[in-house]
Amino acid sequence: MSAKSAIIGISTLVLLAIANPSKTDYINYAYIKLCDDMGGIEKTACKVLVSTQKENIKEIIEQNTDRKNFILFSLYSTEVLGFKFQTVALIGNYYTFKN
């Protein structure tokens, strides 16, 4: 491996580590996405609850979220309002999977 390749590789790893979203960033993401997968009246009720109880909902999400920080990315496991999901956070993007 050349020195140039090593520098590019190390720089890429450093950038990935810097861009790894924080738990606060994740909580804001989860708060916005909480009602997305619901339908009909449940979705409407969820959106009303979430909009009127913003800080309480964020606190509930924070208390029910486990973060595993792998430096280059993070894995979040959240169980809230009867829903369980895992999210991979990488470079400011979130990929959420329901359990």
Side-chain angles (χ1 to χ4, degrees):
M1 180 187 308
S2 71
K4 183 178 178 181
S5 295
I7 291 171
I8 291 172
I10 291 169
S11 298
T12 300
L13 293 175
V14 168
L15 289 173
L16 284 171
I18 291 171
N20 186 5
S22 68
K23 188 170 184 178
T24 301
D25 294 334
Y26 169 76
I27 290 166
N28 290 327
Y29 161 81
Y31 167 77
I32 292 167
K33 294 295 185 183
L34 188 60
C35 302
D36 280 0
D37 292 330
M38 295 180 184
I41 191 89
E42 289 177 336
K43 186 171 190 167
T44 302
C46 181
K47 287 190 176 223
V48 168
L49 175 67
V50 166
S51 67
T52 60
Q53 298 295 318
K54 181 177 182 176
E55 293 309 314
N56 292 334
I57 298 294
K58 284 185 174 186
E59 187 175 321
I60 290 168
I61 292 170
E62 182 174 12
Q63 291 172 353
N64 292 286
T65 296
D66 178 48
R67 178 185 188 200
K68 292 182 180 160
N69 186 353
F70 296 98
I71 310 298
L72 303 179
F73 68 95
S74 292
L75 177 64
Y76 295 93
S77 299
T78 302
E79 184 175 350
V80 64
L81 300 177
F83 294 96
K84 295 179 185 178
F85 50 93
Q86 291 190 324
T87 302
V88 175
L90 175 69
I91 316 173
N93 294 301
Y94 300 92
Y95 306 95
T96 301
F97 309 93
K98 287 190 214 176
N99 290 347

